[in-house]
């Protein structure tokens, strides 16, 4: 899988400087992934920095009044996320000695954490070889692998997950691999006007070779 090495090399050169990447503790990764649900990176950055300055760890978040947590979230929207963070922090203190579970399965048991977020935290914070598969990732690999079927169908989603599971295991660096494919979808393989000339996957991209980039997924 030469493309795995290519995308990791690209990420090493072009990754954005983001506050949660500077110190990727499990807590900071968790907070960032929850904030990034349905919210743009540029919007999240200042909120993230203020939030972790006020609540630097699980214990501080668990002990804070909910209204204080919601106040620090004010303007970010989708306030249920803040409530889930607060509730999950209390669960972590009560049941896990203030530590996040290291596995996707353990993370899924926490309030507000779904399949994608569990995979992101487990891979980025703990190096678990599990793929992250969201709409951006589906778009990148529907194009790269030339998948013409809808990415919403169960067979297509299974195909994507199986292919990405093999790739993330081959990468030997699940954290960088998953962040690389998310970065690629955000910066290069965008829904419209993708920058194919700068894409590390372009040599093997079936959509590009078949002049189908605009049609997929």
């Amino acid at each position: 899988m030469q493309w795995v090495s290519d995308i990791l090399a690209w990420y090493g050169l072009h990754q954005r400087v983001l506050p949660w990447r500077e110190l990727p503790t499990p807590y900071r990764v968790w907070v960032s992934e929850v904030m990034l649900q349905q919210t743009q990176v540029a919007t999240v950055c200042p909120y993230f920095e203020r939030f972790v300055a006020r609540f630097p760890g699980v214990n501080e978040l668990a002990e804070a009044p909910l209204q204080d947590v919601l106040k620090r979230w004010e303007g970010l929207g989708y306030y249920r996320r803040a409530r889930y963070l607060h509730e999950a922090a209390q669960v972590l203190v009560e049941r896990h000695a203030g530590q996040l579970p290291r596995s996707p399965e353990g993370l899924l048991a926490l309030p507000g954490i779904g399949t994608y977020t569990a995979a992101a935290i487990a891979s980025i914070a703990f190096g678990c070889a599990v793929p992250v598969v969201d709409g951006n990732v589906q778009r990148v690999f529907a194009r790269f692998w030339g998948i013409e079927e809808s990415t919403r169908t169960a067979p297509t989603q299974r195909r994507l997950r199986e292919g990405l599971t093999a790739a993330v295991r081959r990468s030997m660096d699940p954290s960088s691999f998953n962040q690389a494919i998310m970065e690629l979808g955000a910066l290069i393989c965008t829904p419209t006007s993708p920058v194919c000339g700068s894409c590390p996957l372009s040599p093997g991209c079936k959509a590009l070779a078949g002049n189908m980039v605009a049609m997929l997924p």
Side-chain angles (χ1 to χ4, degrees):
M1 289 186 184
Q2 179 60 43
W3 67 265
V4 174
S5 299
D6 292 342
I7 197 172
L8 287 170
W10 173 85
Y11 179 68
L13 292 172
H14 299 287
Q15 63 179 286
R16 288 171 291 181
V17 176
L18 300 173
W20 46 88
R21 288 178 178 164
E22 296 172 4
L23 184 64
T25 64
Y27 173 75
R28 288 167 65 89
V29 172
W30 169 42
V31 172
S32 70
E33 287 298 331
V34 172
M35 284 188 168
L36 287 165
Q37 294 169 2
Q38 299 176 291
T39 307
Q40 295 293 322
V41 168
T43 301
V44 167
C45 285
Y47 280 92
F48 173 84
E49 294 186 299
R50 290 194 294 267
F51 193 89
V52 297
R54 171 62 182 86
F55 313 112
V58 172
N59 290 325
E60 291 84 356
L61 180 57
E63 293 167 1
L66 175 59
Q67 288 307 312
D68 192 3
V69 176
L70 293 174
K71 182 65 177 177
R72 298 289 168 165
W73 200 274
E74 190 173 348
L76 194 56
Y78 301 101
Y79 287 88
R80 182 180 296 180
R81 295 178 296 173
R83 293 186 175 90
Y84 279 144
L85 269 175
H86 187 246
E87 182 182 351
Q90 294 177 330
V91 170
L92 290 172
V93 169
E94 294 169 3
R95 304 178 190 174
H96 300 280
Q99 303 297 311
L100 273 87
R102 301 177 67 90
S103 69
E105 295 78 15
L107 290 162
L108 276 169
L110 295 174
I113 295 184
T115 302
Y116 172 85
T117 303
I121 296 169
S123 63
I124 296 170
F126 300 115
C128 293
V130 292
V132 294
V133 185
D134 67 353
N136 284 333
V137 174
Q138 289 176 355
R139 179 177 64 257
V140 170
F141 287 93
R143 289 171 174 171
F144 182 55
W145 287 326
I147 299 174
E148 298 183 36
E149 296 78 15
S150 170
T151 56
R152 297 182 179 182
T153 66
T156 301
Q157 291 181 3
R158 183 167 56 251
R159 177 181 173 184
L160 287 165
R161 188 168 296 279
E162 289 173 353
L164 288 167
T165 296
V168 73
R169 290 174 178 172
R170 182 71 65 88
S171 74
M172 305 299 290
D173 186 356
S175 174
S176 293
F177 177 81
N178 280 336
Q179 291 186 85
I181 61 176
M182 290 188 283
E183 198 85 330
L184 194 70
L187 301 180
I188 301 295
C189 195
T190 49
T192 59
S193 303
V195 192
C196 297
S198 300
C199 181
L201 297 182
S202 61
C205 180
K206 292 185 177 179
L208 183 61
N211 198 29
M212 297 177 63
V213 172
M215 304 175 194
L216 298 179

